[in-house]
Amino acid sequence: MFFSLNNKNHLVTFQQAVIQGLAPDNGLYFPEKLTTLPQDFFDAIENLSNEEIAFQAIKQFVGAEIPENELKKIISETLSFDFPLIKLDENVFSLELFHGPTMAFKDVGARFMSRCLTYFNKNKNQKNTVLVATSGDTGGAVASGFLGVKGVDVVILYPSGKVSDIQERQLTTMGQNITALEVNGVFDDCQDMVKKAFLDKDLKYKNLTSANSINIARWLPQMFYFFFAYKELKKLNKKLIISCPSGNFGNICAGIIAKKIGLPIAHFVASTNANDTIPRFLVDGKYEPKPSVATISNAMDVGNPSNFIRIQEIYNNDLSEFEKEFSSYTFSDEETLFEMQNIFANTGYISEPHGAIGYLGLKKEMQNHADCVGVFLETAHPIKFLDTVEPTLNITLDIPKQIEHVLNKQKKSIKILNYDELKVFLIK
Ligand SMILES: *Cc1c(COP(=O)(O)O)cnc(C)c1O
């Protein structure tokens, strides 16, 4: 079962949590129990396929609500691409999470969630509306993951002029059951409108659900990456440190859950851009969100990270528990650009702004640990940020086939100014 972080007595099943997205009291859902995986699973992990690992990791959260054979099918469709671990130097690796259909790591969560919803809607006549706010990559991944899914309409809100050209095309050119709403504002405005819609009684009949990482079916499958990294690096027999470029803190929170069910990760680093709410929190334990500021790593331009409350739950909101295994560092755009050049000059590796921030945080934390091995998550393909990557590294990128096919499509969006206009659109 899952409980609402606003009320531990409000318990729902996996299915209910996926369909509702957010609890009726506006709380995020959190698993009631975390069961450690058996030691023989970790002893033999290098012999298991990614699909088997993912199945073992997620099974306890899904329970009996999706039969094992169906869950295995969902996982196999979700993980239909590679997650290569690239060695940059003796003990630093990049885990590339961008080989899916929209070249963003959010493909995994979006594909898993859409297939769970399809399974739950199979014998029902009801329609769900998936409402999602995006600061960049979520929109494209959700649009692709849900395209053509029966019984589900998808409405994506994105901040006008604040996503890259490729990101915008990915979320505005799908058609079918996908609609893009272009909001005159920043990401936080989009996220606030989505939250408001969930609480709006007039919209109850629309069966709204979220496909942001607040939804457990988007959030939890992100655990898989951390298992894949461990599977590859176990043989080095060293302390493992993983750095996640973080915005809403869903990805890193899934990694911490992986640790809580037994995965041997010694330390987590949440690397952020100028949106430094969490690095500031770790100084004095005060959570003081700020309006988001625009940076070159726009998928992390989040001033009030929605998943942080889950991390506070895990660490009992106690700074001394955080400190044992969790750090968070902030980096400016200048540092990010400089590091992209450094990485390229020293290793030949082409990173993009989000990955470079992950690298910066990893390097900083590794100074505190002797004899460790570090992984940073490369969360997007450099082509997604080509306006930054090409001039910074003085290179020309080849356009991958996943991107090529959206480039000549026509953008289609509906401009909205405020919540009332969103509501009118949803009710029409
Ligand atoms: C969404 C995203 C992030 C941040 O992930 P969170 O789970 O929100 O912390 C980082 N990089 C890229 C490219 C993203 O799209």
Side-chain angles (χ1 to χ4, degrees), residues 105-106 137-138 222 245-251 299-300 354 379-380 385:
F105 83 92
K106 297 183 173 77
D137 274 352
T138 304
Q222 301 177 131
S246 298
N248 261 319
F249 284 65
N251 203 4
M300 312 198 296
H354 305 78
T379 45
F385 299 92

Side-chain angles (χ1 to χ4, degrees), residues 45-65:
I45 194 167
E46 60 271 39
N47 305 322
L48 301 178
S49 68
N50 283 354
E51 293 177 22
E52 284 169 279
I53 292 170
F55 176 72
Q56 294 301 333
I58 201 96
K59 196 170 63 168
Q60 65 173 288
F61 300 103
V62 178
E65 284 165 72

Side-chain angles (χ1 to χ4, degrees), residues 181 193 415-426:
L181 301 183
M193 282 195 232
K415 295 206 170 166
I416 62 166
L417 287 171
N418 51 39
Y419 181 71
D420 290 340
E421 294 191 10
L422 171 64
K423 192 160 163 179
V424 167
F425 169 81
L426 289 172

Side-chain angles (χ1 to χ4, degrees), residues 28-312:
L28 268 66
Y29 284 116
F30 194 87
E32 191 188 15
K33 209 167 89 202
L34 298 171
T35 307
T36 307
L37 295 167
Q39 187 54 42
D40 58 358
F41 167 74
F42 294 105
D43 289 345
I45 194 167
E46 60 271 39
N47 305 322
L48 301 178
S49 68
N50 283 354
E51 293 177 22
E52 284 169 279
I53 292 170
F55 176 72
Q56 294 301 333
I58 201 96
K59 196 170 63 168
Q60 65 173 288
F61 300 103
V62 178
E65 284 165 72
I66 301 180
E68 289 203 351
N69 59 331
E70 289 287 341
L71 182 59
K72 283 184 175 160
K73 212 170 93 201
I74 290 173
I75 288 171
S76 132
E77 287 175 17
T78 300
L79 300 179
S80 58
F81 45 88
D82 292 334
F83 301 85
L85 188 71
I86 311 291
K87 186 170 183 170
L88 267 62
D89 70 30
E90 204 40 54
N91 43 27
V92 172
F93 294 80
S94 165
L95 183 66
E96 294 187 346
L97 304 180
F98 56 72
H99 294 274
T102 74
M103 315 214 88
F105 83 92
K106 297 183 173 77
D107 281 327
V108 164
R111 291 163 73 81
F112 185 83
M113 179 182 160
S114 69
R115 283 156 181 83
C116 290
L117 265 188
T118 305
Y119 178 79
F120 294 141
N121 277 345
K122 192 169 56 162
N123 299 318
K124 291 187 200 145
N125 251 335
Q126 85 173 28
K127 239 182 143 84
N128 294 106
T129 300
V130 166
L131 193 58
V132 60
T134 183
S135 58
D137 274 352
T138 304
V142 169
S144 154
F146 283 81
L147 182 67
V149 167
K150 188 179 139 266
V152 182
D153 283 331
V154 176
V155 179
I156 301 167
L157 281 75
Y158 74 100
S160 182
K162 299 202 171 54
V163 304
S164 77
D165 178 52
I166 288 176
Q167 287 174 331
E168 183 169 38
R169 282 174 199 272
Q170 285 183 316
L171 60 96
T172 57
T173 60
M174 287 283 179
Q176 295 187 48
N177 57 332
I178 317 288
T179 307
L181 301 183
E182 189 171 349
V183 176
N184 187 7
V186 294
F187 169 70
D188 294 327
D189 299 320
C190 301
Q191 184 143 289
D192 288 346
M193 282 195 232
V194 167
K195 285 188 182 156
K196 206 162 166 185
F198 287 134
L199 297 176
D200 193 328
K201 295 201 170 51
D202 300 344
L203 295 173
K204 203 147 183 62
Y205 75 102
K206 299 291 288 187
N207 295 317
L208 294 181
T209 190
S210 79
N212 284 96
S213 47
I214 57 175
N215 194 301
I216 56 163
R218 247 288 316 272
W219 167 54
L220 285 172
Q222 301 177 131
M223 275 190 307
F224 303 159
Y225 316 135
F226 300 82
F227 283 90
F228 300 162
Y230 175 71
K231 168 187 168 177
E232 299 291 324
L233 295 172
K234 182 185 157 192
K235 56 181 179 288
L236 299 181
N237 210 7
K238 285 187 182 171
K239 217 159 100 172
L240 177 57
I241 297 175
I242 299 193
S243 168
C244 307
S246 298
N248 261 319
F249 284 65
N251 203 4
I252 193 164
C253 184
I256 301 170
I257 295 281
K259 179 175 166 109
K260 295 302 160 198
I261 60 171
L263 190 69
I265 296 172
H267 203 94
F268 292 95
V269 189
S271 304
T272 75
N273 58 28
N275 294 282
D276 61 352
T277 300
I278 304 313
R280 284 186 291 109
F281 168 85
L282 289 181
V283 174
D284 58 9
K286 292 205 188 95
Y287 184 78
E288 288 170 343
K290 278 200 217 156
S292 60
V293 296
T295 72
I296 55 170
S297 45
N298 66 35
M300 312 198 296
D301 292 350
V302 183
N304 188 4
S306 50
N307 280 283
F308 194 65
I309 186 147
R310 287 180 166 139
I311 303 182
Q312 288 173 299

Side-chain angles (χ1 to χ4, degrees), residues 237-393:
N237 210 7
K238 285 187 182 171
K239 217 159 100 172
L240 177 57
I241 297 175
I242 299 193
S243 168
C244 307
S246 298
N248 261 319
F249 284 65
N251 203 4
I252 193 164
C253 184
I256 301 170
I257 295 281
K259 179 175 166 109
K260 295 302 160 198
I261 60 171
L263 190 69
I265 296 172
H267 203 94
F268 292 95
V269 189
S271 304
T272 75
N273 58 28
N275 294 282
D276 61 352
T277 300
I278 304 313
R280 284 186 291 109
F281 168 85
L282 289 181
V283 174
D284 58 9
K286 292 205 188 95
Y287 184 78
E288 288 170 343
K290 278 200 217 156
S292 60
V293 296
T295 72
I296 55 170
S297 45
N298 66 35
M300 312 198 296
D301 292 350
V302 183
N304 188 4
S306 50
N307 280 283
F308 194 65
I309 186 147
R310 287 180 166 139
I311 303 182
Q312 288 173 299
E313 170 72 20
I314 296 172
Y315 294 130
N316 295 313
N317 202 20
D318 176 345
L319 273 192
S320 65
E321 287 196 36
F322 271 97
E323 277 160 11
K324 283 182 213 149
E325 58 183 51
F326 183 94
S327 311
S328 188
Y329 305 117
T330 167
F331 301 98
S332 67
D333 281 354
E334 292 68 37
E335 289 171 295
T336 307
L337 293 169
F338 184 70
E339 201 58 32
M340 284 168 62
Q341 290 171 339
N342 257 343
I343 296 171
F344 188 59
N346 295 334
T347 70
Y349 189 74
I350 301 172
S351 61
E352 52 67 60
H354 305 78
I357 287 180
Y359 180 90
L360 277 163
L362 180 65
K363 280 290 189 182
K364 190 160 178 169
E365 182 60 36
M366 283 176 82
Q367 292 167 2
N368 302 333
H369 305 261
D371 203 30
C372 60
V373 57
V375 174
F376 67 98
L377 306 183
E378 184 41 284
T379 45
H381 190 290
I383 198 79
K384 302 280 289 281
F385 299 92
L386 105 171
D387 293 346
T388 303
V389 174
E390 289 194 341
T392 304
L393 303 184

